Amino acid sequence: MSDNKTPFTRRDFIKGAALGLGLGAIGAMGLYSYSPMSRKHISQVQRKLADFGVCRGVKCKVISETSWFDNGTLMGDIKAAGGLLVDQYTYNWPPFGDGTGLGKGSYDKGIAKIKHLLPHRLEEAWELTKGLSVHPDNAGGFAALVEVEDMDGKVHKYLLDSGWSYKWMDEAFKREGIDKMLANGEIEALIISHEHFDHYWGLPVTLKYAPNIKMYIPDTFYPSGLQYIADSGHKGEVIKVKKGLRPILPGMATYVFDVPIICKVFGEQSLYFNVADLGLVSVTGCCHQGIILFADTAYKELKYENDKFHGLYGGLHISPFDDWDPKYDDLVIGLKKWELEKVGCNHCTGLVTAKKFIDNGYPVVRGTARFRTKDTAYLGNGDSIQFKKA
Amino acid sequence: MTAANVPFLEARKLEKRWKGPIPALVNLLFTLAIFYATWWIFQDPRGYMRLYTPYVGYNYTRWILIVLIWVAYIFDFWPFKRGWMEKAHPVTKGIVLTLLSTGVLLLLIKGFFEGLLGNFAMAYFNPAQLTKLPGVTAFFAEEYAATACLMFAAIASWLSPAWIVAMEAAPWQDLKQPARGLSIWIVTFFLSTLVYFMTMHSHMGILYYPWQYFTAITPPYWEQFADTVSGNFHIAWIMCCTVVVWLVETIWERYPFSAIKNPWTRRLSLFFAIIAISLALNFFLYYAQELAWGEAIRGSRRDAAPDWRWLHVGETAIFFLVPALFLYIYCDNWPKKFSTPVNMLVRTAITVLGGLAIYALYYRYAHLFLGTQKGFSHPQQFPMIPMIWLINIWLINTWFMDNWPGWKLTMKTDAELAAEHAARAAEQTWSPRMVPGMAVGAVAGVALYFLVVWALPVVSNAVNLIPK
């Protein structure tokens, strides 16, 4: 240590002050930041309780939840193409295959091969793209028919997503009678949850039967995704939904979240329903924003019956490839506090997650495991779930 | 003390080839060009090898950093002779030493972790073992193995340099290489293994369904405190340790601990101070996110999830390491004209501002260049990867290439070394006369903290970094 006999100087004071400044700041950081006292500085969000009306009930029919049929094949493709950050349009999956192989394709090259066949000559288009694409038979798709009963008893039908494989989705549409509903104009709109291949690339299958259908898409689509709407032969209105709430009917609204997603996709649109005497029901394509954030957003923004999150249907994007991460356990644990009364999950929820839900006592509605759905823990292809006060 | 018996990096004298900021700018451009070229070749999802899967590329990035530290700091470039280090062209040295580091890296990951541990100890280090489990795809087998390996790397990247910076290589500081390097390497590797088991093994244990109750503590002991079962809670403070150890070594010049005369008191107090400062930084950076984005919600995804918030603590800390290293490597640790505490304070202020600027630039523009997605919390994106990739290139440039092309290498004379040590000893002192200033400074520090606490929500509401 230095000697103490020299007089106190301004230099000593400044040296001490500089050192003390760091000590004080670091000390406060360490002692205060994670203490109970620190909570008082965190802004508490005031509930907005926006009224988006009420409906009598919602029924969801699973047209297809099997987006792909073999995880190993899909993840093998993703691995070989360079991982989960690679642009989906470059994978060389159908319908954008151009024969150059994994990770070397593009939207422009792929669509050029089949554009002239869309949307009415889908069988030819699929046969053509099969020869140019990687693992075309692994493609399935996600789509659901959403039937909303208003308070007057009238039923409004919406299509949530349009799947992936032209062949698989066309068969599924015919199996569930969706083709006729579209052709008859019974379905009021197509709501696209997000731009992912398994929800969106089957768009021409819907347009084959209803080219003028109104479409709701998140306003976060990339240029290729937007171009696909025109290239698929769509003639109707396209509503680009901005981040936040978009009421559709009394008791039905979509909500767009700005979230970055794997395979270079951005943004997801999900559905809220306020069901009379039951409460909030969520219907999701993949729910990349996370079901708890979706529920919490509703809690902060919306007014709904009984102030109760009653139930959900759809993909929850937890372990879509039967992968796992401890943070998913946080979800299984954290979702309990919402005390859900009816859970219909499938698709990208992950079978491991569905089984953990069942293990943890969630009221999971079991399916019938038909039409290539793998397990009864999922609400499977051809199954349906209804949210309505008996 | 002679130049021959101090480490090579300490015995070096780097002289600028040109006056003013030109060498720094030239080296910045040079290293950024190398960064972008190598990023495209190895990491970019649009590029050649596409290792940014993300964990495979992340794993290599983290371990390169540690191997560089081993080569330069722990083994003092052994087995290369001092004469070769002094005379070989910087580009030759850069290529040879980088190739050596890459060889060590591959031996370590493929040989030690995947081959030895993965086949004879814990299956999760080896992708081939993991694919034997039902339902585990080859892709995620590789990602899980890389995750385990890089979690080990996070710990080693704190402990390896800490043994030199804080413990001053004691008690082996007087041994010759390779005995000195091997001793430190074995001890830090052993400590890393201990810390790994206590912080990360449970994270890996709950990757399996059902949880591996018989082989790991599940749920982990930190669950209630951290509001998550994820090991990201530990990644947060360990990454802060990695950053703080280098702040101590560079812009803080090991002060005020360097003023402690008793060697073991000095060493131990600095070693534990690094941990204490890191924990403070860790809790603050978590709190900063709560102030900016609201309270975390357990079980949610993305930027509201506690596990992501803890991870983002580590990510944010790394943003601050970048300007600190730039200041030290290419700006001669500017400023040096004031007393050590004032120099430290000014450098810290520059580092904080620089870190914030890089943070903002990264989230605003990086997706346009790196082949990544815009947004804060993409589950497969880690800003630590490009940041550490850049840091690796800077370390190669300064440790292996003597800051070529902006600088040239000469060696300090024994007299210069002695004078440097004497000057440091005279300057880096402690006196009770500093206490009044310290008291005032401490009050100002606390006030500054609460000013930041007040400002963060306001700034967060006013600024949106993510482009539409």
Side-chain angles (χ1 to χ4, degrees), chain B residues 139-462:
Chain B
F139 178 81
F140 280 103
E142 204 158 327
E143 294 291 277
Y144 292 160
T147 305
C149 201
L150 76 87
M151 283 176 154
F152 196 103
I155 300 161
S157 65
W158 149 47
L159 286 169
S160 298
W163 208 269
I164 303 294
V165 173
M167 299 301 287
E168 302 166 6
W172 307 287
Q173 70 274 25
D174 297 325
L175 291 181
K176 286 192 177 350
Q177 294 291 3
R180 176 177 183 262
L182 275 173
S183 304
I184 297 166
W185 183 82
I186 287 168
V187 161
T188 52
F189 210 87
F190 168 70
L191 287 176
S192 300
T193 308
L194 276 186
V195 177
Y196 175 87
F197 278 122
M198 292 168 66
T199 56
M200 303 298 179
H201 181 63
S202 291
H203 176 101
M204 299 307 295
I206 56 179
L207 279 177
Y208 300 87
Y209 176 67
W211 286 355
Q212 301 300 290
Y213 305 100
F214 294 107
T215 187
I217 302 299
T218 60
Y221 61 87
W222 61 83
E223 181 190 6
Q224 296 305 322
F225 182 77
D227 206 21
T228 178
V229 292
S230 171
N232 283 351
F233 166 66
H234 291 295
I235 291 286
W237 69 264
I238 289 167
M239 284 310 301
C240 288
C241 285
T242 302
V243 171
V244 170
V245 75
W246 288 110
L247 296 182
V248 165
E249 175 68 342
T250 58
I251 62 171
W252 295 348
E253 302 176 53
R254 306 187 191 182
Y255 186 80
F257 301 91
S258 55
I260 300 171
K261 300 298 181 197
N262 181 288
W264 278 104
T265 308
R266 179 175 66 240
R267 290 164 190 160
L268 289 170
S269 58
L270 180 52
F271 186 83
F272 289 107
I274 287 170
I275 298 172
I277 294 167
S278 302
L279 286 172
L281 182 63
N282 170 50
F283 290 133
F284 172 69
L285 290 177
Y286 189 87
Y287 186 37
Q289 294 175 71
E290 292 188 298
L291 292 167
W293 296 325
E295 263 184 307
I297 308 162
R298 187 171 183 190
S300 62
R301 309 288 297 274
R302 315 303 177 113
D303 56 13
D307 72 281
W308 185 83
R309 295 264 177 105
W310 289 118
L311 177 71
H312 197 55
V313 164
E315 291 173 340
T316 309
I318 289 287
F319 280 113
F320 293 107
L321 183 57
V322 173
L325 288 180
F326 186 81
L327 202 58
Y328 181 75
I329 295 170
Y330 298 121
C331 302
D332 195 26
N333 220 10
W334 186 89
K336 286 183 168 174
K337 63 180 177 180
F338 309 112
S339 63
T340 301
V342 175
N343 289 338
M344 285 166 62
L345 189 65
V346 175
R347 290 175 202 146
T348 305
I350 293 169
T351 296
V352 170
L353 292 174
L356 291 173
I358 295 169
Y359 184 98
L361 287 171
Y362 177 86
Y363 283 107
R364 188 83 185 167
Y365 300 112
H367 64 283
L368 301 174
F369 304 100
L370 301 179
T372 51
Q373 268 275 46
K374 64 182 178 180
F376 274 110
S377 54
H378 191 299
Q380 266 73 35
Q381 285 184 188
F382 304 98
M384 278 193 257
I385 305 179
M387 291 302 119
I388 297 176
W389 194 256
L390 179 62
I391 286 169
N392 287 342
I393 288 165
W394 283 353
L395 293 181
I396 288 170
N397 183 238
T398 189
W399 287 347
F400 295 177
M401 301 174 70
D402 309 312
N403 282 18
W404 186 88
W407 280 259
K408 61 185 173 191
L409 172 69
T410 57
M411 300 304 289
K412 291 169 188 164
T413 63
D414 295 347
E416 283 174 327
L417 263 176
E420 190 180 280
H421 276 254
R424 193 180 308 140
E427 170 55 33
Q428 296 188 358
T429 54
W430 158 259
S431 162
R433 294 190 306 275
M434 290 162 65
V435 170
M438 267 187 79
V440 173
V443 171
V446 174
L448 177 66
Y449 169 82
F450 281 103
L451 180 69
V452 172
V453 167
W454 168 82
L456 267 168
V458 179
V459 174
S460 171
N461 285 332

Side-chain angles (χ1 to χ4, degrees), chain A residues 231-272:
Chain A
D231 290 345
S232 296
H234 184 246
K235 306 277 189 251
E237 184 184 6
V238 178
I239 296 169
K240 295 175 186 168
V241 183
K242 292 189 182 339
K243 179 183 175 183
L245 191 73
R246 166 90 192 200
I248 305 285
L249 283 176
M252 174 186 181
T254 78
Y255 202 102
V256 168
F257 291 83
D258 277 358
V259 283
I261 309 173
I262 57 173
C263 306
K264 200 153 190 180
V265 167
F266 198 87
E268 171 142 352
Q269 175 172 229
S270 305
L271 299 170
Y272 287 124

Side-chain angles (χ1 to χ4, degrees), chain A residues 173-238:
Chain A
F173 275 20
K174 285 173 180 163
R175 186 187 72 225
E176 304 300 336
I178 307 299
D179 55 340
K180 291 188 176 63
M181 290 181 205
L182 284 166
N184 296 339
E186 291 174 45
I187 295 178
E188 295 181 20
L190 168 64
I191 298 167
I192 298 290
S193 63
H194 62 299
E195 200 184 335
H196 263 157
F197 49 90
D198 54 323
H199 293 255
Y200 179 54
W201 287 2
L203 174 65
V205 184
T206 299
L207 301 184
K208 175 183 171 185
Y209 301 106
N212 295 313
I213 194 167
K214 184 193 285 184
M215 288 177 66
Y216 292 89
I217 64 169
D219 74 341
T220 49
F221 270 38
Y222 280 96
S224 299
L226 289 172
Q227 185 60 41
Y228 189 42
I229 297 173
D231 290 345
S232 296
H234 184 246
K235 306 277 189 251
E237 184 184 6
V238 178

Side-chain angles (χ1 to χ4, degrees), chain B residues 87-110:
Chain B
K87 292 191 177 79
H89 192 276
V91 176
T92 308
K93 281 201 302 181
I95 292 169
V96 170
L97 291 167
T98 304
L99 285 175
L100 168 81
S101 304
T102 309
V104 172
L105 170 85
L106 293 174
L107 193 67
L108 191 82
I109 292 177
K110 297 293 175 188

Side-chain angles (χ1 to χ4, degrees), chain A residues 291-292 318 327-335 357, chain B residues 299 301:
Chain A
I291 186 62
I292 290 182
I318 300 168
K327 66 188 174 196
Y328 305 157
D329 285 305
D330 282 340
L331 191 152
V332 174
I333 295 164
L335 192 59
F357 278 161
Chain B
R301 309 288 297 274

